[in-house]
Amino acid sequence: MNLVVAVDKYWGIGKDGGLLTHLPKDLGRFQRLTTGNIVVMGRKTLESLPGGKPLPDRETWVLTRDESYCIDGIKTFYSIEDILKYVKDLDIDVDKIYIAGGAAVYNSFLPLVKKAYITKIYKDFNADVFMKNVDELPYLALEYVSETYERKGLEYCFTTYTKV
């Protein structure tokens, strides 16, 4: 499994129910990584997408504790164990699965991911939603850091972490 996220300098990932900022290169990277694959997200993350609808050209799986939650065209799971069993039973290639938020989903799946694609934004956005600091996790090692990019005064880079 893979994880894809943009974080601020304190590992914030969201504010007021939305993304921290709009970075076209980051959104393009997300699209390149996830198109044709499976994205796993929580209910609130799905509902925060435009129109509350799944992204095109990706299979969407929602992880929620609400057992009455069901939307046509979306696979719904009520535990990580349910997802893992489904993947094993259908022999799904875990390299085609991308964890796409929110915080509880990211933090729960972190020990299971092979790769984490993290856009690091060098700014404090006063976020109200955070994920674990991947730099402090002993089971993921920094493999790649891009050049620093800038957009409207915001500096950021793309990183890739790999399971050790």
Side-chain angles (χ1 to χ4, degrees):
M1 290 184 190
N2 305 288
L3 179 145
V4 59
V5 65
V7 300
D8 76 1
K9 69 188 284 185
Y10 296 111
W11 294 86
I13 62 168
K15 185 172 174 88
D16 301 326
L19 297 175
L20 298 174
T21 189
H22 178 82
L23 295 173
K25 275 188 190 201
D26 174 57
L27 295 174
R29 182 183 194 218
F30 179 90
Q31 183 176 14
R32 279 189 306 281
L33 288 168
T34 61
T35 295
N37 292 307
I38 299 162
V39 290
V40 178
M41 62 185 69
R43 176 190 53 81
K44 289 180 191 174
T45 299
L46 175 65
E47 291 172 354
S48 75
L49 297 177
K53 295 182 180 185
L55 298 166
D57 304 319
R58 283 152 266 218
E59 185 175 338
T60 301
W61 296 359
V62 171
L63 180 61
T64 180
R65 289 182 288 266
D66 180 354
E67 295 195 13
S68 67
Y69 190 80
C70 183
I71 294 181
D72 287 340
I74 295 176
K75 286 184 176 45
T76 305
F77 298 90
Y78 306 106
S79 71
I80 290 177
E81 294 75 24
D82 290 344
I83 290 176
L84 297 176
K85 183 178 182 328
Y86 184 79
V87 167
K88 184 178 178 188
D89 288 351
L90 295 181
D91 196 26
I92 294 170
D93 180 359
V94 293
D95 291 335
K96 297 184 78 51
I97 300 172
Y98 286 80
I99 309 306
V105 175
Y106 284 132
N107 292 330
S108 296
F109 275 98
L110 268 170
L112 303 174
V113 301
K114 287 183 180 178
K115 295 251 184 205
Y117 299 94
I118 300 174
T119 301
K120 290 186 174 182
I121 306 166
Y122 305 123
K123 178 183 169 140
D124 177 6
F125 282 91
N126 257 347
D128 55 20
V129 180
F130 297 83
M131 68 175 287
K132 290 178 184 173
N133 179 339
V134 173
D135 289 320
E136 296 176 353
L137 299 176
Y139 49 85
L140 288 172
L142 183 61
E143 174 186 293
Y144 168 79
V145 179
S146 74
E147 65 182 281
T148 298
Y149 299 100
E150 185 273 332
R151 181 170 193 271
K152 296 185 177 180
L154 285 179
E155 292 186 335
Y156 62 98
C157 71
F158 300 125
T159 65
T160 304
Y161 292 77
T162 303
K163 187 166 199 139
V164 289

